[in-house]
Amino acid sequence: MPYMSSRKPVPLFDRQPRPLCPVCGETSYSPAGIHPQCAVRRLDDERMKKMKLRVAQGQQEKFQPPGDTSPWKRACPVCRATQHVRCKSCQCGHVFAMRPGVSPEQGEAL
Ligand SMILES: [Zn+2]
Ligand SMILES: [Zn+2]
């Protein structure tokens, strides 16, 4: 097509004020307005934040008292208080659904 080839395409960013990269603050020539390497850096930062958060949550789980997993104890699903398995109801008023021959965990689920 001779008509098309006679026109030189003008890059879009030459007509517009150049956007500043939100990560490093420098002028960015990419259509997204952010340097590709800066976009990667920002993604890495977010991934690191999430990873740290996950690690912190994992540590919190580890810090739970070991008595919670004892076969003679169970946690109330309402107030999270640990009760002896023989207690039929919690201090908060929650009544455990216990059946003969059913383990505390299964009894709670029912
Ligand atoms: Zn940048
Ligand atoms: Zn309770």
Side-chain angles (χ1 to χ4, degrees):
M1 281 194 272
Y3 176 74
M4 287 294 280
S5 60
S6 65
R7 299 172 86 202
K8 262 197 172 179
V10 181
L12 258 176
F13 55 76
D14 271 359
R15 302 180 196 161
Q16 295 176 341
R18 282 163 192 171
L20 294 180
C21 171
V23 177
C24 67
E26 300 282 329
T27 310
S28 170
Y29 295 95
S30 76
I34 180 170
H35 299 119
Q37 71 269 23
C38 288
V40 169
R41 202 174 76 184
R42 193 165 67 171
L43 269 177
D44 276 353
D45 283 352
E46 280 169 19
R47 212 179 303 149
M48 279 296 285
K49 272 183 213 160
K50 279 180 192 169
M51 216 152 73
K52 279 178 189 167
L53 204 74
R54 220 175 296 145
V55 168
Q57 282 171 347
Q59 282 171 345
Q60 277 177 359
E61 280 166 26
K62 272 184 208 162
F63 285 139
Q64 285 202 349
D68 281 359
T69 53
S70 156
W72 303 106
K73 304 252 181 165
R74 61 181 162 190
C76 168
V78 179
C79 69
R80 296 278 164 200
T82 310
Q83 306 289 322
H84 195 272
V85 280
R86 278 201 213 156
C87 297
K88 286 192 173 72
S89 63
C90 175
Q91 57 199 5
C92 75
H94 173 77
V95 180
F96 292 106
M98 264 292 277
R99 288 181 188 182
V102 178
S103 78
E105 287 80 16
Q106 286 168 321
E108 266 180 38
L110 284 166

